[in-house]
Amino acid sequence: MRRTRGFTLIELTVVLALMTVFFALVVVRFDWNSPRQALNREARKLGNLLTTYREKALADETLWAVQMDLDTGKCRVVQPAEKSAQAVEQAVAVRTITLDPAVKLSRVLTPAGPLSSSFVMFFDAKGIAPDVTLEFEHAHSEAKVTLRVDPFATEIVYGQN
């Protein structure tokens, strides 16, 4: 009886098992989070926060404030008694978020000029938001993402550089 050339079922199974293990290790070590994706994720996270509390202020006819610190990347949401920096500092944080350490909120632009390292955005029952543009940069990339709060429409406009 003549034997034909070829692979046995056991040999094929062993090769497939080794390939599966190899590809699983490659996929685990592959970084799916690119700098551009990290910028977009953090910009959208902050944009969703601003949109939520702007709409909440409009619907509930209450005052909300979002305090942002450019140096640490922390944002706190408070419900102050009045529109003042002192009232914001005294109010208890309802929600706090921190941006990814690799993503930096580099500039905050208003029609009056750039803002300092810490600033507050107030949202009231009128629904008019401050005209502000936030610029995000990634520590390991040249990519930039901008987030612009439209003062009269209830939308956030995103842009990429």
Side-chain angles (χ1 to χ4, degrees):
M1 183 164 166
R2 248 174 103 208
R3 186 174 166 165
T4 60
R5 290 184 171 177
F7 298 106
T8 66
L9 186 58
I10 293 175
E11 291 171 333
L12 288 174
T13 305
V14 169
V15 169
L16 285 175
L18 289 173
M19 287 176 58
T20 303
V21 169
F22 174 73
F23 286 126
L25 292 174
V26 169
V27 168
V28 168
R29 292 177 189 258
F30 187 74
D31 187 13
W32 293 97
N33 191 14
S34 72
R36 171 107 29 219
Q37 289 172 331
L39 283 172
N40 286 332
R41 181 185 65 242
E42 296 303 314
R44 295 224 182 257
K45 181 166 70 173
L46 187 56
N48 289 339
L49 180 84
L50 297 176
T51 301
T52 298
Y53 284 95
R54 181 180 185 184
E55 290 175 1
K56 194 170 178 77
L58 192 59
D60 298 343
E61 295 184 2
T62 55
L63 179 65
W64 289 95
V66 178
Q67 182 181 34
M68 294 183 220
D69 188 356
L70 294 173
D71 299 328
T72 62
K74 290 185 179 182
C75 302
R76 29 181 318 257
V77 179
V78 297
Q79 192 172 16
E82 60 185 32
K83 278 189 180 182
S84 71
Q86 184 179 10
V88 170
E89 289 298 326
Q90 292 174 350
V92 176
V94 174
R95 185 166 177 201
T96 304
I97 64 168
T98 303
L99 298 177
D100 183 346
V103 175
K104 184 176 186 220
L105 188 55
S106 59
R107 289 192 322 166
V108 179
L109 302 171
T110 65
L115 294 179
S116 65
S117 63
S118 181
F119 67 97
V120 179
M121 292 178 70
F122 290 101
F123 299 111
D124 59 15
K126 295 177 187 172
I128 301 172
D131 187 9
V132 65
T133 301
L134 307 169
E135 189 174 278
F136 296 85
E137 291 180 349
H138 197 278
H140 309 296
S141 171
E142 300 278 326
K144 292 182 182 178
V145 171
T146 57
L147 178 149
R148 183 175 181 277
V149 179
D150 192 331
F152 299 108
T154 57
E155 67 180 21
I156 303 286
V157 180
Y158 300 94
Q160 295 183 358
N161 299 352

